[in-house]
Amino acid sequence: MRIAITGTPGVGKTTVSKNLFEKLINLENNVKNINITEIVSKNQLYIEKDDEMNSYVIDFPKLNNFLELNTTCEDLIILDGHVSHLLNPDCIIVLRLNPERIFDRLSLRNYSEKKIKENVEAEILDVCLVESIENNVESKIFEIDCTEKSVLDICNIIISFLEHNTPKYGNVSWLEDYFYMLE
Ligand SMILES: Nc1ncnc2c1ncn2[C@@H]1O[C@H](COP(=O)(O)OP(=O)(O)O)[C@@H](O)[C@H]1O
């Protein structure tokens, strides 16, 4: 089973995925936590590197093939990455965060102004959620506003979703309050 943890960079995917892994490994022993950026970089699963944006243009057939070869259908696989919703997941957790917080977190990473703006805009315009809906059955999608939540709370919400399978999205809307950040 593939659990996609998706969302705009800075939203908390890697932090949540690591903590979720620690919780799930206590319940089952076939849990894997896969950071997409890490495996793409390490195994050259990309078409090219965008030096200006310091990011990869992913080779999706190669990446899918890599996942097929390195996992089994018995595994409980956490896919940590902002394209994980495009990797044939069984369920998709879309993490959301107030765009001002995204701005602060990405500024701390010393991202370029262009990269910060692009990602803040993506969060305001719901890009990961829209892509998730476009590429998957809607019943797989669960969206969480992480803004005022601890990592532990977020993990517990995800586990509850996995247990009860109650899809939910559409409650997060930044556009009105943060429109000024698009200008
Ligand atoms: N729920 C949270 N509360 C407070 N800080 C968080 C939370 N989730 C993540 N962070 C912090 O935000 C930063 C970005 O998190 P990270 O997991 O790297 O995001 P992503 O993988 O989506 O790019 C890290 O410094 C992390 O410690």
Side-chain angles (χ1 to χ4, degrees):
M1 178 180 175
R2 291 184 180 182
I3 307 168
I5 307 289
T6 190
T8 309
V11 81
K13 298 178 297 295
T14 298
T15 312
V16 167
S17 296
K18 283 180 180 162
N19 282 268
L20 185 64
F21 173 82
E22 294 304 331
K23 276 182 154 273
L24 293 176
I25 199 78
N26 288 324
L27 307 172
E28 302 198 34
N29 55 16
N30 56 343
V31 189
K32 288 185 174 162
N33 182 22
I34 298 178
N35 179 298
I36 304 294
T37 307
E38 241 170 61
I39 61 162
V40 163
S41 160
K42 227 187 249 175
N43 301 283
Q44 279 121 47
L45 308 173
Y46 51 84
I47 295 161
E48 58 178 351
K49 192 165 180 219
D50 181 338
D51 284 326
E52 193 200 352
M53 297 297 270
N54 193 24
S55 63
Y56 295 104
V57 179
I58 294 174
D59 186 330
F60 278 94
K62 266 193 189 173
L63 173 55
N64 276 313
N65 196 35
F66 180 91
L67 291 172
E68 287 290 329
L69 290 173
N70 289 282
T71 60
T72 73
C73 39
E74 277 89 51
D75 291 334
L76 185 56
I77 308 153
I78 301 168
L79 291 175
D80 159 20
H82 70 283
V83 296
S84 59
H85 53 275
L86 304 176
L87 299 172
N88 196 22
D90 296 287
C91 69
I92 303 164
I93 312 295
V94 186
L95 302 183
R96 306 300 305 270
L97 188 72
N98 178 311
E100 288 179 346
R101 299 264 185 99
I102 298 263
F103 180 90
D104 292 344
R105 287 187 187 176
L106 298 185
S107 301
L108 283 175
R109 281 184 189 171
N110 293 322
Y111 276 9
S112 68
E113 231 175 87
K114 185 177 170 194
K115 193 166 174 174
I116 295 173
K117 188 171 164 37
E118 199 173 283
N119 284 307
V120 166
E121 285 180 2
E123 179 60 20
I124 296 171
L125 298 173
D126 309 325
V127 168
C128 285
L129 176 67
V130 171
E131 281 184 9
S132 296
I133 296 167
E134 280 174 357
N135 290 279
N136 296 276
V137 180
E138 294 181 20
S139 60
K140 292 181 182 176
I141 303 170
F142 191 75
E143 184 183 36
I144 306 172
D145 180 0
C146 301
T147 308
E148 299 302 337
K149 293 183 180 70
S150 69
V151 177
L152 183 62
D153 284 346
I154 297 162
C155 289
N156 286 335
I157 293 169
I158 294 172
I159 288 172
S160 170
F161 167 65
L162 296 175
E163 280 170 0
H164 304 293
N165 194 19
T166 44
K168 187 182 80 162
Y169 66 86
N171 296 332
V172 178
S173 174
W174 305 128
L175 198 54
E176 204 173 315
D177 289 345
Y178 300 97
F179 189 78
Y180 75 94
M181 294 181 94
L182 296 177
E183 288 160 359

